[in-house]
Amino acid sequence: MSPIEQVINKNDTSLNPIWIMRQAGRYLPEFREIRSKNTDFIELCLNEELSSEITLQPLKRFNLDAAIVFSDILMLPYGLGQKVEFQKNFGPRLGELNINDIAKVDEIDFVEKTHKIYKLIKKVSSNSLLKNKNTIGFVGAPWTLLVYMINQQSPKKKLKENFFKDDFLINRILLIIEKFLKIHIKNQVDNGANIIQIFDSWAGLLEEKDLPSYVYTPTLNLVNFVKSLNIPVICFPREIKNYKEFCEIVNPDVISIDYNVDPKEIAKILKIPVQGGLDPKVLLTDKENLKKETMRYLEIFKDHPYIFNLGHGILPETNPDMVEYLVNIVKDHK
Ligand code: 1CP
């Protein structure tokens, strides 16, 4: 059993496994090198030679306990035939969403567009670098995907007015998203993903009263689906106010926390395994501060099943030496 599985299945508190959200990406010069020659991001994700190499890059450098598949949550709208592009210094830009078009898409159409991702997972998960380590497959949560598909760009830039004006339409889209997320998850697991993480990056945009319809119920359906495949599921409902309520209702195997919540409070109120928390900006400071902050999380969770990670993705300006330092602190901690 891998260290991460020991935390999840046996409530182990001695092994301190670690992986890092967005570990395969822009802070690594070897990634930037490949990226500079491959300007179309979707094409790069679908090139299984290059995307498997990128997935393994951080494991060649650091003693991490898992690889996260190099792909993107927006491969789902892409698979449904919505136009998706990534623009430099802007982020994702999606085409207009046409409900009648996506309602006609069937499983064969979808998998035809996404099957290279499953090939990449097969290739990566059988690599010897992953011996006794995990291959983490992932999806965006229905709510976060709905946000991108309707908003057509990051809500960080702006959220369309009247986002909720057509309830009926929103619910239809959510059902389509859920159906294809299950197909996407099943194919990832069939090809070697042995943990699934659900990223709900924009859960924090919702008011409390809307959480049941848009976050709890659709995520619970997916969590139950992953569990039915006998694979652990990690949820990251970023910036929700009430992690306890989320865990009671959705009941994931692991809850990944953001850096705005008080880890002490989390350790006290949550019984299930916890992941993450450290502010990615700490990696931009100095080693002394990084050590202090890392030790704070390790101390708080010393008697709690805990997977070390950040409270959001690693920032592109991070120096890889700091990552190495972080991984070593965590791995050397007894
Ligand atoms: O190591 C890894 O984690 C790489 C695989 C990965 C993952 C898990 C990528 C590659 N993207 C993601 C998830 C993802 N994608 C999320 C959830 C996690 C999070 O909140 O960060 C989200 C919201 C996206 C959407 C997306 N794709 C964004 C964010 C835009 C926004 O609204 O702020 C961006 C910038 C992308 C492009 C992207 N995806 C991945 C990489 C390495 C990049 C950068 C591409 C580049 O320009 O080089």
Side-chain angles (χ1 to χ4, degrees):
M1 207 184 279
S2 73
I4 292 179
E5 285 159 13
Q6 301 223 29
V7 171
I8 299 173
N9 300 329
K10 305 248 184 259
N11 287 336
D12 181 282
T13 57
S14 67
L15 293 170
N16 306 319
I18 175 169
W19 68 280
I20 293 171
M21 282 194 261
R22 295 288 187 102
Q23 65 189 27
R26 289 173 291 181
Y27 72 107
L28 287 179
E30 56 271 36
F31 169 77
R32 292 198 299 268
E33 163 90 35
I34 295 179
R35 179 75 171 105
S36 67
K37 298 190 200 118
N38 295 272
T39 47
D40 185 324
F41 183 73
I42 299 254
E43 244 172 53
L44 178 58
C45 290
L46 296 175
N47 176 331
E48 78 259 28
E49 293 297 327
L50 291 177
S51 53
S52 57
E53 188 182 330
I54 294 169
T55 303
L56 293 171
Q57 280 176 345
L59 282 102
K60 289 185 180 152
R61 275 189 182 247
F62 316 118
N63 185 15
L64 297 160
D65 290 284
I68 178 150
V69 174
F70 183 75
S71 177
D72 199 88
I73 62 166
L74 299 178
M75 295 312 280
L76 189 108
Y78 170 80
L80 289 174
Q82 188 174 9
K83 194 169 169 200
V84 180
E85 282 175 349
F86 292 88
Q87 282 177 1
K88 214 177 168 153
N89 304 325
F90 183 82
R93 212 185 262 286
L94 285 78
E96 188 93 26
L97 176 70
N98 183 324
I99 179 76
N100 296 320
D101 289 347
I102 66 166
K104 283 193 218 113
V105 175
D106 66 19
E107 182 166 349
I108 295 169
D109 304 327
F110 179 82
V111 173
E112 191 175 313
K113 299 197 88 164
T114 55
H115 71 279
K116 292 284 184 67
I117 303 171
Y118 316 131
K119 275 192 156 169
L120 136 75
I121 296 177
K122 192 158 211 167
K123 215 168 143 75
V124 163
S125 59
S126 57
N127 191 290
S128 60
L129 275 169
L130 283 177
K131 197 162 166 266
N132 207 31
K133 299 184 174 198
N134 290 94
T135 304
I136 303 178
F138 68 90
V139 291
W143 161 249
T144 284
L145 290 174
L146 181 80
V147 167
Y148 282 108
M149 288 169 74
I150 294 187
N151 205 49
Q152 299 174 259
Q153 58 172 285
S154 176
K156 188 167 66 188
K157 315 264 172 187
K158 73 168 203 284
L159 187 61
K160 270 187 184 171
E161 274 172 54
N162 315 327
F163 185 90
F164 289 104
K165 82 174 178 292
D166 191 344
D167 267 30
F168 179 73
L169 180 69
I170 282 190
N171 287 323
R172 245 185 107 192
I173 302 170
L174 271 178
L175 288 177
I176 295 173
I177 292 175
E178 194 178 309
K179 171 178 163 192
F180 286 94
L181 281 176
K182 287 179 180 165
I183 293 168
H184 194 37
I185 289 170
K186 173 83 165 66
N187 279 291
Q188 293 188 58
V189 169
D190 285 349
N191 286 282
N194 47 24
I195 294 182
I196 293 290
Q197 175 148 325
I198 302 175
F199 286 95
D200 211 347
S201 305
W202 300 110
L205 291 180
L206 284 165
E207 289 173 37
E208 214 112 315
K209 69 168 177 32
D210 292 320
L211 287 171
S213 313
Y214 297 111
V215 170
Y216 297 160
T217 305
T219 310
L220 175 62
N221 292 342
L222 287 184
V223 162
N224 286 339
F225 180 74
V226 180
K227 287 180 178 172
S228 77
L229 304 173
N230 291 316
I231 292 287
V233 54
I234 305 173
C235 282
F236 180 43
R238 188 166 73 91
E239 288 187 9
I240 53 156
K241 311 282 170 304
N242 195 337
Y243 274 93
K244 187 163 188 280
E245 184 176 87
F246 178 92
C247 290
E248 279 165 3
I249 298 171
V250 178
N251 198 22
D253 294 297
V254 180
I255 182 80
S256 200
I257 56 169
D258 66 75
Y259 54 84
N260 289 316
V261 288
D262 177 6
K264 268 197 192 132
E265 181 69 11
I266 291 285
K268 203 162 70 193
I269 61 176
L270 295 184
K271 295 281 167 282
I272 65 169
V274 172
Q275 169 178 282
L278 182 72
D279 188 339
K281 289 192 284 301
V282 173
L283 283 157
L284 305 181
T285 63
D286 54 70
K287 287 188 173 166
E288 195 187 329
N289 188 45
L290 174 57
K291 183 164 190 173
K292 188 180 103 222
E293 282 298 302
T294 303
M295 292 307 291
R296 189 164 74 88
Y297 277 89
L298 289 170
E299 278 303 311
I300 290 170
F301 290 107
K302 71 178 189 312
D303 299 319
H304 198 104
Y306 183 60
I307 301 165
F308 203 95
N309 204 322
L310 306 179
H312 196 196
I314 187 166
L315 296 161
E317 54 271 39
T318 306
N319 181 343
D321 291 346
M322 292 291 271
V323 179
E324 175 153 21
Y325 187 68
L326 165 68
V327 174
N328 292 339
I329 298 171
V330 175
K331 291 308 230 175
D332 292 344
H333 183 74
K334 288 283 167 289

